[in-house]
Amino acid sequence: MDIFLTNNLTNKKEQFIPRERENVGMYVCGPTVYDDPHIGNARPLVIFDILFKILKNNFPKVTYVRNITDIDDKIILSSQKLKITSKELTQKITESFFEDCRFLNCENPTHQPKATEHIDLMIQMINGLIKKGYAYENNKHVYFEVKKFPDYGKLSNKKLEDLIAGSRVEISDNKKNSEDFVLWKPSTKDEPYWDSPWGPGRPGWHLECSAMSKKLLGDEFDIHGGGIDLIFPHHENEIAQSRCANDTKSFANYWIHNAFITMSNDKMAKSQGNILKIKEFRKKMSGQVIRLALMSAHYRQPLDWNDKLLIDCENTLDKWYQISLNNFNSVKVPDEILKPLYEDLNTPGFIANLHNLYEKANKGESKDLFISACQFVGLLNETNEQWLNFKKNRVSLSETEIDKMINLRNKARENKDYKEADRIRNELLDKGVLIEDKDGKTLWKFK
């Protein structure tokens, strides 16, 4: 079945046609490991994990590269604030990131290169750009001269003047022009550095991805992905320096970007004070709930993050786990079921298909297909017992204590003390217990 993706380079949905059918190449910008990843970082993890699965379902070989940026100004500032070395900080945050990936049940990419392991390639690329006249050195800094690349702004679909006006451009007396971006910068005594023809220093952020993608995917490849906030300047700069360094007419053929996660319709950002770290969810919620929540909206649309979304997703998984995973035989999921995913990663449409399959499985039909379809996108990856035990273990109350609180609530209702009854219900809910009044009885289950 044909795959269609919205290509931000052309600003339209296109059929995906790889450069080489025998080996599809995809590069996705990974984390800058200066702080624990947040829910906004989790969205591309899950979205591109699903795209990886779709591609592998259709092509003999898929090479998926997701980098680790372990040298950057943010890392240096954070390590200085914490009074530890940059290496200590990046090792700690990288491991936290890997734990988050496991929590979200994301497959490992084919390659996860670290920037610090490829400094020599970056220096080579800078040297080449200087020799070709696209870059210049001044006062131990090296800059890419944007005006030398006529196609600059094509990905953003804006003129250079408009891009500069709408962004924060680094001001420096070392630049020829305000829009030029750094390829190499000097380091002070207390900052990490590498020897180079321009003195001890470190690479610019944009250059790192160009060097690592060239090594692992070649001068040109199929898909480049990341969050929508990376289009400018990061991805625009990647295209400019890569095409000029490699003497090519293209860099990546398809550019795929996911939209932001919002909270109360405000962008999730540190400046907003509304950051939710992935690790904060590990003990109080299954990663499957987070994964399903991240799939609940189309990747190109903003996703509003709230408690109701998480409750709804957990209730859905609760229902789906009522289908026993015992004696289950994995089957190939037909293209007709997967079709929404082939249509520009329409995860809400695929979830609707899962609901339909569940209804059939609940009647004793197509159980193997339902479970296989869920597992195709990384859901129902635990046994029924593991799912239930996780919910039990996060509840701080024993069954005796739960029954006692329910009895107190029933007495409050008999006395028409509804305020007290609601208080007890809410306390149980906060502690992970959901109650329901049905046919004169109060039933409870783990939330």
Side-chain angles (χ1 to χ4, degrees):
M1 182 175 282
D2 294 333
I3 298 171
F4 290 87
L5 298 169
T6 297
N7 185 359
N8 281 331
L9 191 61
T10 58
N11 208 24
K12 61 183 180 181
K13 189 161 74 171
E14 300 174 347
Q15 181 182 345
F16 173 66
I17 302 173
R19 291 171 50 80
E20 300 175 24
R21 184 174 176 80
E22 299 304 308
N23 187 8
V24 175
M26 178 169 75
Y27 187 96
V28 176
C29 289
T32 299
V33 285
Y34 71 99
D35 197 3
D36 293 300
H38 55 74
I39 287 295
N41 304 133
R43 195 174 195 190
L45 289 179
V46 170
I47 291 302
F48 291 104
D49 181 60
I50 293 172
L51 179 54
F52 185 33
K53 296 175 191 296
I54 295 167
L55 294 170
K56 287 195 300 176
N57 200 49
N58 282 266
F59 301 101
K61 181 181 178 183
V62 180
T63 303
Y64 173 18
V65 182
R66 185 182 64 212
N67 70 295
I68 302 288
T69 295
D70 58 348
I71 179 62
D72 182 80
D73 290 353
K74 290 180 180 178
I75 291 170
I76 293 170
L77 288 171
S78 182
S79 64
Q80 289 173 345
K81 195 176 292 185
L82 294 169
K83 296 182 179 178
I84 59 175
T85 66
S86 293
K87 189 172 183 180
E88 287 172 325
L89 175 64
T90 57
Q91 286 178 339
K92 175 187 171 189
I93 301 302
T94 299
E95 182 50 43
S96 180
F97 170 72
F98 289 152
E99 285 182 30
D100 290 340
C101 293
R102 291 189 287 269
F103 172 67
L104 295 168
N105 196 29
C106 293
E107 290 186 58
N108 288 331
T110 318
H111 303 285
Q112 297 192 80
K114 294 181 178 178
T116 55
E117 296 170 351
H118 298 84
I119 303 295
D120 56 335
L121 296 180
M122 298 173 202
I123 291 172
Q124 288 175 28
M125 187 172 276
I126 295 170
N127 265 325
L129 288 167
I130 292 173
K131 288 176 183 177
K132 292 174 182 178
Y134 292 110
Y136 58 91
E137 187 237 345
N138 187 18
N139 195 22
K140 300 182 180 180
H141 292 73
V142 182
Y143 291 95
F144 183 90
E145 191 167 359
V146 170
K147 287 178 180 175
K148 295 285 184 71
F149 181 63
D151 282 347
Y152 196 85
K154 188 175 178 182
L155 178 65
S156 308
N157 198 27
K158 289 183 179 178
K159 293 180 180 179
L160 178 58
E161 298 77 21
D162 296 331
L163 287 171
I164 295 169
S167 66
R168 290 176 292 180
V169 174
E170 178 193 354
I171 305 299
S172 173
D173 292 336
N174 297 311
K175 294 183 182 184
K176 287 183 181 179
N177 312 291
S178 62
E179 67 270 16
D180 296 347
F181 59 88
V182 69
L183 299 173
W184 188 266
K185 61 174 70 175
S187 297
T188 60
K189 288 182 181 179
D190 58 343
E191 294 176 341
Y193 71 90
W194 288 263
D195 291 327
S196 79
W198 319 286
R202 57 188 187 275
W205 170 42
H206 312 300
L207 185 76
E208 297 174 5
C209 290
S210 287
M212 290 184 282
S213 64
K214 177 182 173 68
K215 176 186 176 181
L216 297 167
L217 296 173
D219 293 349
E220 300 172 271
F221 54 94
D222 297 302
I223 297 172
H224 198 311
I228 197 170
D229 54 319
L230 297 180
I231 292 177
F232 184 82
H234 186 51
H235 289 166
E236 203 74 72
N237 291 353
E238 272 190 75
I239 292 171
Q241 64 201 7
S242 292
R243 282 185 53 190
C244 292
N246 302 329
D247 294 318
T248 57
K249 291 184 178 180
S250 70
F251 176 41
N253 290 340
Y254 299 83
W255 288 81
I256 317 299
H257 297 93
N258 63 275
F260 293 124
I261 284 181
T262 60
M263 293 186 69
S264 301
N265 297 314
D266 288 328
K267 176 190 169 185
M268 187 178 290
K270 285 198 170 185
S271 57
Q272 298 287 98
N274 59 2
I275 288 294
L276 296 173
K277 294 182 178 179
I278 302 171
K279 73 175 187 179
E280 294 169 359
F281 290 92
R282 289 188 206 147
K283 291 183 179 180
K284 63 182 182 180
M285 189 165 289
S286 167
Q288 293 177 81
V289 175
I290 306 298
R291 188 175 179 97
L292 183 58
L294 292 166
M295 292 168 56
S296 65
H298 193 278
Y299 78 96
R300 288 177 54 79
Q301 300 298 320
L303 169 61
D304 198 53
W305 197 261
N306 55 71
D307 289 341
K308 184 180 183 303
L309 171 65
L310 297 178
I311 291 169
D312 287 347
C313 288
E314 184 157 326
N315 288 342
T316 293
L317 287 164
D318 256 338
K319 183 175 71 172
W320 290 354
Y321 266 109
Q322 290 171 17
I323 302 294
S324 173
L325 273 66
N326 296 329
N327 303 316
F328 146 69
N329 296 309
S330 180
V331 298
K332 183 172 175 58
V333 183
D335 284 345
E336 192 58 35
I337 301 298
L338 297 173
K339 188 175 180 180
L341 299 179
Y342 287 77
E343 289 288 337
D344 201 21
L345 301 177
N346 181 4
T347 51
F350 183 72
I351 291 170
N353 283 352
L354 293 180
H355 282 295
N356 291 333
L357 288 174
Y358 165 77
E359 295 301 329
K360 292 180 180 178
N362 202 34
K363 295 174 184 175
E365 307 169 21
S366 307
K367 167 187 164 181
D368 291 347
L369 178 56
F370 166 66
I371 297 171
S372 297
C374 287
Q375 292 188 347
F376 183 89
V377 289
L379 301 172
L380 298 196
N381 61 306
E382 299 176 352
T383 65
N384 302 81
E385 292 74 20
Q386 286 172 323
W387 171 259
L388 187 59
N389 285 337
F390 179 85
K391 296 180 73 177
K392 282 182 180 178
N393 291 338
R394 77 179 178 194
V395 175
S396 57
L397 299 170
S398 67
E399 293 191 12
T400 302
E401 290 171 320
I402 293 169
D403 289 336
K404 184 178 178 181
M405 290 181 69
I406 287 174
N407 287 333
L408 289 172
R409 176 178 174 271
N410 288 340
K411 285 180 182 178
R413 293 177 73 202
E414 287 172 12
N415 296 329
K416 297 186 178 180
D417 187 353
Y418 299 117
K419 186 175 181 180
E420 175 65 8
D422 287 344
R423 186 195 67 76
I424 296 171
R425 172 192 282 274
N426 291 334
E427 185 179 346
L428 285 165
L429 189 63
D430 288 341
K431 293 181 177 180
V433 178
L434 191 65
I435 63 175
E436 180 184 8
D437 298 311
K438 190 174 183 181
D439 300 328
K441 296 180 180 180
T442 301
L443 309 176
W444 66 269
K445 64 179 181 178
F446 297 113
K447 188 176 72 172

